[in-house]
Amino acid sequence: MRLAGFSIRNFKSIGETPAHVRLAPITLLFGPNGAGKSSLLHALHYAREIVEHANLDADLTRTGGNLDLGGFANFIHARDLDRDLVLSFDIDLEDDGLPGAREQGGVFGASIDADAIRDLDETAHVSVELTIRWSHLLSRPYVASFRAGLDGQWFAAIEASPDLKTVEVTQLDDSHPFLNQTAPDWQPDDAAAPKGINGEYFASHFFHFLSGSQAVMREPVTGTRAGALPRLDGGLVFPIAEKPRNPKAGEDEKAEYLELLAIDAYISRVMTGALVALRDSLAALFHIGPLRALPPRGYLPQRTPDPGRWHCGLAAWDRLYQDDGSLVAEVDTWLDERLKSGFGLRLAEDRRLPEGSAVDTALRTPGLYYDEELEAAGNVLYGRPVERRVVLHDTARWIDVTPHDIGVGISQVLPVIVAALAPELRLVAIEQPELHVHPRLQTELGDLLIEAVGPPLAGVDETVEIEMHPFMPDPDVPIYRTNGRTLLVETHSEHLLLRLLRHVRHTDAGDLEPGRPVVIPALIAVHYIEPGGLERNTTVTQLRISRDGDFLDEWPRGFFEERATELFS
């Protein structure tokens, strides 16, 4: 599954006006310093803390490296504890179906006819909205509302009171297609209708069960945490499940009891499945921060994986140490041949000799090369563990170097290259990939981003497979099927952007060289973040790209016009 878009309200510099970000395979965030670009990325880390650990008052996050949010009172907009912090997410399930949906048959049994309601395994897209508030009663934040939607329409919500004593299912949408399914070959009042719950009866039974009144629609529920957040290790629990069964109940009462249990199971599957989908999509996030650390001389990798180490860049070096050679070869090709940085990369494997050992003595003693000595020396040598080193190679001087021996630009760009090429990283956020590198190399980084998301190649793919992207402004615009990876890049580089637009232009003109990526506008999303102030909010505007590689929308406040001003004024 893939995170397809998100929205933020009242987080750090983002105020009451929600900031919406649609995620294309390559998503670029532009804007002045301090506009709020980093706030968008920080919100993803905060959401992950909420979903995985119910950590609402987060300071340090587990995946943000040295990112320190400072706690709820610090990152709520304007530090106003009476505001609602709202995080919304759209998730493309990519034919996987709603998590846990395949288990529903065993829960429902024969209580609900299979043709009467929509199978949750058919869900293609999920929406989740989290509303976080400050409880003045408890002096801490809580999840005031958790709302889940299926295929573009909200399904239901869970709401909690500030004292957390009341948690209820609310806002159940009786018009939702998943509840109003009716078998095509019979009508609800048909005497030949199959036994069980048809779609119309199913929806009405929700109302009867939840409140007896279609105007209120509230029902207590347990199985949540931090307020209205569903638990990930179990379903929601409704009062009917805790009510003891009447051993003398008739067949109709028993049937109704089973139907109500089935209704509970359906609601629980939707709400918990939506949260699991959000958790899994956020778990794919890896973040390259704006300042990448240099590994020290004699650096040894950390063996235990730590997603937070990507933020400082050291996880990239860990990944190279543990590689089977294929990724190292790709990084070497990009450093040397594609980016023409003047450096290559290789893995070196050594066995260190302890001083005074048999092999050390044999090498140091002239004439002492008898079979016995050689055999003893070999036993010592090959009994030593193999130690790996990631070696940078100066291709001009033909010598090996360390990151400390060369300019800082290579050490800054290498983690970007590794993250872009490592196939297991599905959602990669990168801040300032162009840091400390010259304009030509910045331009070539545009090619790196394109090939990292895997679009088809001109003259190679005879047929180009397309799919409809559900969260695009124009649903009739197709997007080429890529490898499913998403790169979320915060940048100031005009050079990088111009290379992307050049590929769009050549794709439209049909003059791409064989083997070059086919790039259409839908592959790229460019967002401009404009800072707010005392009288206006920070805004996020998507700038549309035309088929011929130009912008359909003007850049706000003349961004990137400095070059023309300097040349012609």
Side-chain angles (χ1 to χ4, degrees):
M1 58 191 66
R2 188 180 72 87
L3 188 64
F6 62 96
S7 175
I8 302 167
R9 181 158 65 91
N10 284 325
F11 179 82
K12 301 187 77 169
S13 63
I14 310 297
E16 283 291 341
T17 302
H20 301 284
V21 178
R22 181 185 73 82
L23 293 179
I26 299 174
T27 304
L28 304 178
L29 304 178
F30 286 92
N33 293 330
K37 302 183 296 296
S38 296
S39 295
L40 298 173
L41 305 182
H42 296 171
L44 297 178
H45 290 291
Y46 178 53
R48 186 168 178 178
E49 287 294 312
I50 295 173
V51 174
E52 292 187 358
H53 309 288
N55 182 15
L56 309 181
D57 203 13
D59 45 14
L60 296 177
T61 65
R62 291 164 176 81
T63 56
N66 58 0
L67 170 64
D68 187 352
L69 296 176
F72 186 88
N74 184 68
F75 57 70
I76 186 70
H77 182 67
R79 298 184 179 175
D80 182 356
L81 293 179
D82 291 326
R83 293 177 182 264
D84 287 353
L85 194 161
V86 182
L87 305 172
S88 302
F89 302 90
D90 292 315
I91 302 142
D92 186 352
L93 299 179
E94 297 186 337
D95 302 324
D96 291 333
L98 191 70
R102 292 179 176 85
E103 304 169 12
Q104 71 184 36
V107 175
F108 290 166
S111 301
I112 300 180
D113 180 67
D115 295 326
I117 59 171
R118 186 79 63 85
D119 188 344
L120 295 177
D121 197 30
E122 299 175 3
T123 312
H125 313 288
V126 167
S127 300
V128 172
E129 181 185 84
L130 293 163
T131 300
I132 316 300
R133 291 184 188 141
W134 183 265
S135 171
H136 293 281
L137 293 172
L138 304 175
S139 296
R140 57 186 172 91
Y142 70 105
V143 180
S145 173
F146 171 83
R147 189 159 62 145
L150 305 174
D151 290 349
Q153 185 170 333
W154 292 112
F155 179 86
I158 302 173
E159 296 181 3
S161 62
D163 59 5
L164 305 188
K165 292 182 178 179
T166 303
V167 182
E168 299 174 317
V169 169
T170 66
Q171 302 179 39
L172 184 68
D173 185 359
D174 65 319
S175 67
H176 200 287
F178 276 71
L179 301 183
N180 272 324
Q181 187 102 338
T182 303
D185 56 345
W186 53 272
Q187 297 299 321
D189 56 354
D190 191 341
K195 294 181 180 181
I197 302 179
N198 61 55
E200 187 173 304
Y201 180 58
F202 186 75
S204 66
H205 219 134
F206 268 112
F207 291 102
H208 170 75
F209 168 56
L210 291 177
S211 66
S213 168
Q214 297 188 14
V216 180
M217 287 185 56
R218 288 182 175 273
E219 177 64 14
V221 64
T222 57
T224 62
R225 55 199 169 124
L229 190 69
R231 291 188 176 278
L232 294 173
D233 55 355
L236 302 174
V237 179
F238 292 84
I240 187 65
E242 298 175 337
K243 179 181 178 181
R245 293 184 59 178
N246 181 6
K248 298 181 180 179
E251 290 300 320
D252 291 342
E253 186 176 348
K254 290 180 180 178
E256 182 179 17
Y257 178 83
L258 293 175
E259 290 166 357
L260 294 178
L261 286 179
I263 291 171
D264 292 351
Y266 200 85
I267 299 177
S268 180
R269 286 283 186 266
V270 172
M271 306 305 280
T272 58
L275 187 61
V276 170
L278 176 58
R279 178 200 65 185
D280 292 349
S281 60
L282 290 175
L285 174 64
F286 294 87
H287 186 176
I288 304 292
L291 295 173
R292 278 75 83 176
L294 271 70
R297 296 182 187 273
Y299 176 73
L300 293 177
Q302 178 172 303
R303 299 182 183 277
T304 303
D306 180 3
R309 285 169 62 84
W310 282 100
H311 194 271
C312 67
L314 290 180
W317 297 90
D318 296 343
R319 176 64 176 82
L320 292 174
Y321 271 91
Q322 298 159 1
D323 188 53
D324 61 3
S326 57
L327 179 61
V328 170
E330 285 190 78
V331 174
D332 173 60
T333 298
W334 272 96
L335 272 178
D336 184 15
E337 301 175 16
R338 302 294 299 273
L339 299 180
K340 295 180 174 59
S341 67
F343 297 92
L345 184 79
R346 64 184 176 87
L347 276 177
E349 296 185 341
D350 305 309
R351 285 188 171 91
R352 297 193 180 189
L353 298 177
E355 189 173 353
S357 64
V359 67
D360 180 55
T361 301
L363 292 174
R364 291 173 181 273
T365 305
L368 190 63
Y369 291 108
Y370 302 107
D371 289 344
E372 293 181 0
E373 284 79 6
L374 290 176
E375 182 179 358
N379 291 337
V380 172
L381 177 62
Y382 291 101
R384 302 294 297 170
V386 174
E387 297 182 5
R388 278 189 164 192
R389 292 182 295 120
V390 176
V391 178
L392 286 169
H393 185 73
D394 187 325
T395 57
R397 295 182 294 168
W398 205 249
I399 59 173
D400 292 340
V401 294
T402 72
H404 294 268
D405 301 325
I406 59 178
V408 72
I410 297 301
S411 65
Q412 296 302 295
V413 78
L414 187 138
V416 175
I417 300 172
V418 175
L421 297 178
E424 71 274 10
L425 305 189
R426 310 301 297 169
L427 173 59
V428 183
I430 306 173
E431 294 188 70
Q432 301 296 319
E434 71 276 13
L435 194 66
H436 291 298
V437 297
H438 58 82
R440 183 191 59 76
L441 199 149
Q442 291 182 36
T443 303
E444 298 294 337
L445 286 178
D447 285 346
L448 174 68
L449 299 184
I450 291 172
E451 296 190 22
V453 299
L457 303 178
V460 176
D461 298 81
E462 295 183 0
T463 61
V464 177
E465 194 173 9
I466 63 174
E467 62 182 359
M468 306 311 294
H469 197 293
F471 302 108
M472 292 183 62
D474 183 356
D476 296 327
V477 177
I479 179 171
Y480 287 95
R481 186 180 295 276
T482 62
N483 58 17
R485 304 183 71 207
T486 300
L487 304 180
L488 178 56
V489 181
E490 187 263 305
T491 179
H492 293 124
S493 176
E494 183 182 18
H495 302 284
L496 186 155
L497 177 61
L498 290 175
R499 176 55 59 90
L500 299 178
L501 297 179
R502 175 185 173 185
H503 279 282
V504 174
R505 185 168 63 253
H506 284 290
T507 297
D508 180 62
D511 58 1
L512 283 174
E513 299 177 5
R516 302 296 287 178
V518 175
V519 183
I520 62 173
L523 189 75
I524 307 164
V526 178
H527 298 277
Y528 181 83
I529 294 85
E530 191 166 7
L534 294 176
E535 298 181 357
R536 59 188 177 87
N537 291 314
T538 296
T539 58
V540 178
T541 304
Q542 182 172 349
L543 304 177
R544 297 168 299 163
I545 300 173
S546 65
R547 291 184 57 185
D548 59 356
D550 201 357
F551 281 102
L552 298 171
D553 305 296
E554 292 186 4
W555 285 80
R557 294 178 177 251
F559 201 75
F560 283 150
E561 290 185 358
E562 294 84 358
R563 180 177 57 177
T565 300
E566 294 299 319
L567 287 174
F568 303 114
S569 64

